[in-house]
């Protein structure tokens, strides 16, 4: 017979469990209860998934103006030739790694919003990321744009109304609630599939420690129910991997399909986008990783019959310089394309072509669409919250993407 778990062992296990979820005991209890309820919930509410490409993706080598000669003048070694792209029309094309994105575009479910930015764009990773996440270019804010949406929409104060998966972001910072973060779905899986002897030892330890403390016992009960009822699985064969970005997106798809009450998810693909040198091959590789996973996520949502409930927005904190540098790479720039994907999205091109003949004082593209127009459109046209309610009383152009 195994020895009872010590207080130190129990506290260690408890902390690992809670930090794996990014949850307090109360939130862990709520999370468990929501998963239990999910079997009988058939939600039709809209869901938003925000994906940040962290590091500053080179938008000009993502959606390529292969029909414009000035593109090749600016990028004589890292530019893509006309036989190396997937054509959208006679001027624009997908980078050759983006076969999945091209397929989604062909389905009419991808909106490509060109030249997105804001005045006096920051070229600092940290500052630019915070600007996008808070939608505040001019002053520091304590709340994020998605967090402000939850302050208005989450009337029941549901702690699972929003969720961060494998990302560090201010986008979900809110005044009314702190939303959980799941750093690693593998830890989530480990917690949910605890062995029987581990559960028994935990039962004895927590019963001895908590006695009549209902909060601890209710968390224990809820976690046991979670173990018994969860439908969590590793990523299917749709995904290129069982780890990292694949696992994050697969986990989000499972949560949405389960009927979980979460209405907003934030995640990221980090690393590989800050291409200051030798960009030609490395950028293609990171775009391929992004593309394969995003297309798998799209197919996963469609197979689970929830694609019409979901809108995915993909952005990076800034684009790259128009001209390549001496190291065969690109330095920090400004305006960039943003992707919006979903079953109810009106696919197509939005905004003007990149203008190589009207650059700013630094030789970068001038933005054509304010990023707050994109987020404001998502808030108002998709999530049902007036743009000015999350944009500090201001309104921006509504894009006809729905």
């Amino acid at each position: 017979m195994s020895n009872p778990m010590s207080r130190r062992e129990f506290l260690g296990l408890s902390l690992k469990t809670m930090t794996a979820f990014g949850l307090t005991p109360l939130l862990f209890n709520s999370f468990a209860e929501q998963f239990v309820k999910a079997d009988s919930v058939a939600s039709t509410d809209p869901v938003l998934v925000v994906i940040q490409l962290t590091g500053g993706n080179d938008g000009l080598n993502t959606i390529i103006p292969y029909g414009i000669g000035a593109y090749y003048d600016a990028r004589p070694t890292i530019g893509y030739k006309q036989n190396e792209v997937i054509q959208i029309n006679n001027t624009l094309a997908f980078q050759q790694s983006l076969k999945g994105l091209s397929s989604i575009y062909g389905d009419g479910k991808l909106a490509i919003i060109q030249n997105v930015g804001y005045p006096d764009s920051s070229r600092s990773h940290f500052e630019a990321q915070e600007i996008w996440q808070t939608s505040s270019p001019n002053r520091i804010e304590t709340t994020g744009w998605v967090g402000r949406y939850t302050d208005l929409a989450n009337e029941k104060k549901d702690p699972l109304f929003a969720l961060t998966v494998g990302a560090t972001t201010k986008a979900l910072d809110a005044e009314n609630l702190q939303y959980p973060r799941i750093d690693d779905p593998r830890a989530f899986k480990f917690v949910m599939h605890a062995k029987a002897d581990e559960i028994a030892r935990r039962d004895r330890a927590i019963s001895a420690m908590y006695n009549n403390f209902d909060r601890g016992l209710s968390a224990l009960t809820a976690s046991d129910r979670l173990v018994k009822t969860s439908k969590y699985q590793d990523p299917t064969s749709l995904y290129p991997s069982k780890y990292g970005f694949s696992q994050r997106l697969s986990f989000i798809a499972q949560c949405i399909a389960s009927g979980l009450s979460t209405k907003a998810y934030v995640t990221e693909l980090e690393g590989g986008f800050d291409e200051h040198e030798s960009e030609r091959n490395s950028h293609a590789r990171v775009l391929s990783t992004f593309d394969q996973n995003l297309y798998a996520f799209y197919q996963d949502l469609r197979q689970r019959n929830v694609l019409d409930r979901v809108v995915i927005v993909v952005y990076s904190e800034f684009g790259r310089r128009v001209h390549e540098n001496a190291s065969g790479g690109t330095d920090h720039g400004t305006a960039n394309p943003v992707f919006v994907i979903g079953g109810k999205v009106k696919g197509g091109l939005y905004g003007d072509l990149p203008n190589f003949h009207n650059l700013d004082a630094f030789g970068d593209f001038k933005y054509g669409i304010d990023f707050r127009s994109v987020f404001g459109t998502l808030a108002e046209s998709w999530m049902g919250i007036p743009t000015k309610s999350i944009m500090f009383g201001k309104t921006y152009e509504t894009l006809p993407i729905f």
Side-chain angles (χ1 to χ4, degrees):
M1 182 174 178
S2 60
N3 295 324
M5 185 182 294
S6 69
R7 179 182 179 86
R8 177 174 293 181
E9 288 175 326
F10 169 75
L11 289 175
L13 178 59
S14 298
L15 285 172
K16 288 179 181 178
T17 299
M18 300 308 172
T19 55
F21 282 91
L23 302 175
T24 65
L26 181 61
L27 288 181
F28 180 69
N29 179 37
S30 177
F31 193 81
E33 292 291 350
Q34 286 289 349
F35 248 95
V36 171
K37 293 175 183 176
D39 288 336
S40 60
V41 173
S43 178
T44 58
D45 293 341
V47 173
L48 176 69
V49 179
V50 180
I51 300 175
Q52 177 178 288
L53 305 182
T54 303
N57 178 48
D58 184 0
L60 196 57
N61 269 6
T62 301
I63 302 299
I64 300 167
Y66 77 99
I68 299 177
Y71 165 73
Y72 298 101
D73 294 337
R75 299 185 166 203
T77 65
I78 68 169
Y80 285 84
K81 299 177 182 178
Q82 296 185 5
N83 62 352
E84 295 179 311
V85 299
I86 305 172
Q87 293 185 10
I88 297 173
N89 54 32
N90 291 332
T91 304
L92 294 175
F94 292 102
Q95 204 262 16
Q96 58 188 353
S97 298
L98 300 176
K99 297 179 178 61
L101 213 60
S102 175
S103 180
I104 299 172
Y105 187 83
D107 290 344
K109 306 302 182 184
L110 166 62
I112 302 172
I113 307 171
Q114 304 177 94
N115 297 319
V116 180
Y118 54 92
D120 301 319
S121 178
S122 173
R123 290 166 175 80
S124 159
H125 289 293
F126 178 80
E127 184 177 31
Q129 287 170 28
E130 182 163 310
I131 286 171
W132 278 79
Q133 291 165 11
T134 63
S135 293
S136 178
N138 301 318
R139 64 183 186 183
I140 296 174
E141 292 291 341
T142 58
T143 60
W145 72 280
V146 184
R148 294 192 293 276
Y149 153 68
T150 69
D151 282 333
L152 293 168
N154 188 7
E155 296 177 354
K156 296 180 179 179
K157 300 295 188 293
D158 176 6
L160 294 177
F161 195 84
L163 187 65
T164 302
V165 182
T168 300
T169 180
K170 287 189 70 173
L172 278 180
D173 286 358
E175 289 186 357
N176 295 336
L177 281 176
Q178 180 179 354
Y179 294 102
R181 184 182 74 206
I182 295 177
D183 289 328
D184 186 349
R186 287 175 296 177
F188 176 82
K189 179 183 177 182
F190 172 78
V191 170
M192 291 198 304
H193 294 279
K195 296 179 180 179
D197 61 336
E198 294 172 345
I199 294 172
R201 292 176 68 198
R202 184 199 59 189
D203 287 352
R204 291 192 297 271
I206 200 169
S207 295
M209 291 174 59
Y210 279 103
N211 282 328
N212 296 323
F213 289 92
D214 292 338
R215 182 175 175 182
L217 292 175
S218 65
L220 173 61
T221 302
S223 65
D224 284 342
R225 292 175 64 190
L226 176 58
V227 170
K228 294 173 182 176
T229 61
S230 172
K231 301 283 193 295
Y232 177 84
Q233 296 178 346
D234 284 334
T236 69
S237 59
L238 289 172
Y239 294 87
S241 171
K242 292 187 180 298
Y243 308 101
F245 194 46
S246 294
Q247 198 163 39
R248 296 171 192 172
L249 294 181
S250 172
F251 179 80
I252 292 171
Q254 292 174 53
C255 288
I256 294 170
S258 76
L260 199 67
S261 64
T262 308
K263 301 299 185 295
Y265 298 85
V266 179
T267 190
E268 68 176 337
L269 176 58
E270 73 279 13
F273 289 104
D274 199 16
E275 306 278 1
H276 288 280
E277 59 184 18
S278 304
E279 178 181 320
R280 190 62 153 78
N281 294 324
S282 57
H283 188 236
R285 287 195 297 271
V286 72
L287 281 187
S288 179
T289 297
F290 161 65
D291 180 77
Q292 291 177 46
N293 281 286
L294 186 66
Y295 188 55
F297 184 49
Y298 172 81
Q299 291 179 299
D300 198 356
L301 295 173
R302 185 167 58 184
Q303 290 183 9
R304 295 175 187 273
N305 297 315
V306 294
L307 184 61
D308 283 353
R309 288 184 54 213
V310 181
V311 162
I312 307 158
V313 59
V314 183
Y315 73 91
S316 194
E317 68 262 32
F318 46 64
R320 314 298 292 190
R321 301 296 302 272
V322 174
H323 290 79
E324 65 180 63
N325 62 30
S327 300
T330 50
D331 299 321
H332 300 175
T334 55
N336 225 5
V338 170
F339 303 130
V340 180
I341 298 167
K344 297 294 181 67
V345 170
K346 293 180 181 178
L349 293 166
Y350 296 84
D352 297 329
L353 290 170
N355 189 340
F356 289 84
H357 304 292
N358 186 27
L359 303 178
D360 67 16
F362 297 94
D364 291 321
F365 288 127
K366 296 180 179 179
Y367 79 96
I369 295 176
D370 195 300
F371 79 102
R372 290 164 289 188
S373 290
V374 180
F375 290 169
T377 298
L378 294 173
E380 190 156 317
S381 300
W382 182 246
M383 298 184 290
I385 296 294
T387 299
K388 64 181 181 180
S389 297
I390 67 166
M391 293 296 173
F392 311 105
K394 296 182 179 180
T395 58
Y396 297 87
E397 176 189 6
T398 299
L399 305 173
I401 59 177
F402 294 106

